[in-house]
Each structure stands twice: as C-alpha cells, then as structure tokens.
Amino acid sequence: METETSPFLQFWHLSMIIGAIAMVGIGIFIYLAHNLRISTIRDYKGKYDFINGHEIKSYKKVFLCFGVAATLLINLYGMGKLHSIGVWFFVRLFISIAGGTLVAYVAFLVLDYYYPTILNRKLRKWRFMPRKGKDGNLLRLLSEEEEDVHLEEGMRAEENVFSIDYDVWMDEKTGDVKIEKYPGHLQALKCNSCGFYTMKVVREEVTREPSKDAPGELIKHYQCYYCKSVRATAFNISTREADDYKNVPLKAFKRSKNVEMVRLEIQTTTGNKKFFEFQNIGQAQKFLDEYDGEKP
C-alpha cells in the first residue's frame, strides 16, 4: 500500500519549486535591469561611473538569488520517497543550505578576485572610447604633457600623488575642452583645508611598542601635497609583526621610445597582487617612487 505524503511536505515541496523559479527570475531580472540601465546612459563617462560603482554589486545580488534557488532545488532531492518529517528531512535541509551557500560563496570569490580583470578591460573601453563635442566634432584625448595647461593647480597636485587621474578631451576646431575625473592608482585622503584628495602619509612613528598584554600605538603623520596642511592619526598595533615590512630598493627603468603601455605587477608582503597600467615609463617610475612611501 502506497504511503500518502503529509500535507505539510506537499506544501513544502511546492514552495521549494515556486521559490526556486522566483529566485532565478529575480536574478535574471537584476542582470537585465543592470545592463538595460547601462544602455540608457548616453555619456561614456556616465557609463564608466555606473559600471565601476554598481556592476560587481549587481552581479553579487544575481548570484545570491541563484544561490538561494540552488538551496531550494537541492531541498527537493528525494521528494518522491519522503512522506513524513523525519531525520532525512533535516539532513536534506542542512545539505541544501550548505550547497546553496557554496554556490554563492564561489560566485562571490570569482567576482572579488577574477572578475575585476574583466571589469578593468570594460572600463578602459568606455574611458577611451572616442568622444564627440557639442558641435559633433571628434574630440582628441590630450597627452599627460598637453593636459596640464587645462588643469587647475589642485588637480595637477592630485595627479602628482596618483590619487585622482584626469582625462582632458579637446575639440581642436572650436577649442572646447572637456575634463573627466577618474580614480587614481594610489589612495590619498581628502584634505579638510583645500578639499583636494592630496593628503598622504609622510611619516610614521611607533609611540608605544606592542606587548602580549596590550597593543602598541602607531601615529601616522599626514601632509597635504597641495596646501601643505598637516594632521596626525593614531592606530593600534595588535602584534609586533604588524609593523614589519621590507624596504626593497626599486630599480629604475631604462627609457624606451617604443613603449605603448607599461603594466606593473606589485606583490605585497601579505601575498596580495596589484596591477597598474601607465601610458609611459615616466609615469610608472614616478608611481613606484610614490608607492614606496605607501608601504603596501
């Protein structure tokens, strides 16, 4: 005689099916809505900013929905043989949660560590896409040397510390200039005095050595590259090793006239890798001089 499935399990399995379909649908909707939003932005700089600020976040929401859907689908395993709530019901519930979490976790790792390389290529595409001016004329992207005359002194200071990067597009027929602002390679804080992102660490001092019973204290002294304002901030040092780093001497590049782009790979003492791209060797060398002061 065939055992009749309890009404609760019938409702439970039906909810899993409907829920999985709904979560997949929501994930697809988020993906399509994100890309539709990008397609509606006409300005290339606007596309760049939106993609840079929202793409990874949106895709994480998509895979979170897929992870929940995977949880619900795994929870349907053996539904034809399960007729009452017992040990197998809770075992299957645990396995389904673990499986869905694994799907979402792996997706998040891919988005955090692999996808930024793909995203960088996409951002470069929109950043250097040929622009047109107000009169429909094709704009020309000025070189680093040419653009300085069109930037304010504070803007040039931001570029000199690699906290902000400016692109200057010029209509050579009308003389109109369009300036676009992008994140730089190195992190600099906003100066409360002048408002530019030119506040950088110039000196560090350990005022209290760490011990087994109490953390130490590290004071970082900042100075604005533009207006020369100064400030200091105290940080805790939890272990003696936290203050260890090696000053590796940097080798200077030889100049080359045939270099189209310089790509640097920097590996920190913690094992992290960072990649940076520059238009010429001079920028790369200056960046390395600044980066040495950052103590990555």
Side-chain angles (χ1 to χ4, degrees), residues 54-71:
H54 296 87
E55 181 138 309
I56 290 182
K57 294 179 182 178
S58 296
Y59 286 177
K60 282 186 175 182
K61 294 178 182 179
V62 171
F63 283 105
L64 181 61
C65 291
F66 289 169
V68 174
T71 300

Side-chain angles (χ1 to χ4, degrees), residues 188-286:
L189 303 179
K190 184 178 181 179
C191 177
N192 295 329
S193 299
C194 66
F196 291 110
Y197 287 84
T198 48
M199 183 72 72
K200 297 189 65 178
V201 177
V202 293
R203 182 168 59 90
E204 296 180 355
E205 62 175 335
V206 178
T207 56
R208 184 175 64 249
E209 292 289 342
S211 63
K212 295 181 179 181
D213 301 324
E217 184 181 67
L218 171 70
I219 295 182
K220 291 187 177 183
H221 296 268
Y222 298 85
Q223 183 176 30
C224 177
Y225 186 85
Y226 177 55
C227 70
K228 306 305 180 183
S229 297
V230 296
R231 77 180 190 209
T233 305
F235 298 88
N236 286 333
I237 306 174
S238 58
T239 63
R240 190 175 300 275
E241 288 77 12
D243 193 41
D244 291 341
Y245 58 87
K246 296 180 180 179
N247 291 321
V248 180
L250 301 175
K251 296 181 179 179
F253 287 108
K254 295 182 178 179
R255 297 187 177 275
S256 174
K257 298 181 179 180
N258 299 320
V259 174
E260 180 178 355
M261 182 185 71
V262 178
R263 191 169 192 264
L264 300 179
E265 175 183 343
I266 295 179
Q267 183 169 355
T268 66
T269 55
T270 59
N272 295 325
K273 291 184 179 180
K274 297 181 180 181
F275 299 91
F276 306 95
E277 294 179 354
F278 302 90
Q279 296 179 4
N280 55 60
I281 293 177
Q283 289 183 9
Q285 180 62 64
K286 185 176 180 181

Side-chain angles (χ1 to χ4, degrees), residues 8-26 65 68-80 92:
F8 173 78
L9 282 179
Q10 291 179 5
F11 174 77
W12 178 269
H13 292 148
L14 180 61
S15 300
M16 295 299 104
I17 296 173
I18 296 175
I21 295 174
M23 294 310 298
V24 171
I26 294 174
C65 291
V68 174
T71 300
L72 301 179
L73 290 174
I74 296 173
N75 202 255
L76 293 172
Y77 180 77
M79 59 179 292
R92 186 183 64 174

Side-chain angles (χ1 to χ4, degrees), residues 63 66-68 70-71 74 97-109:
F63 283 105
F66 289 169
V68 174
T71 300
I74 296 173
I97 294 175
T101 302
L102 181 62
V103 171
Y105 179 71
V106 171
F108 277 35
L109 288 179

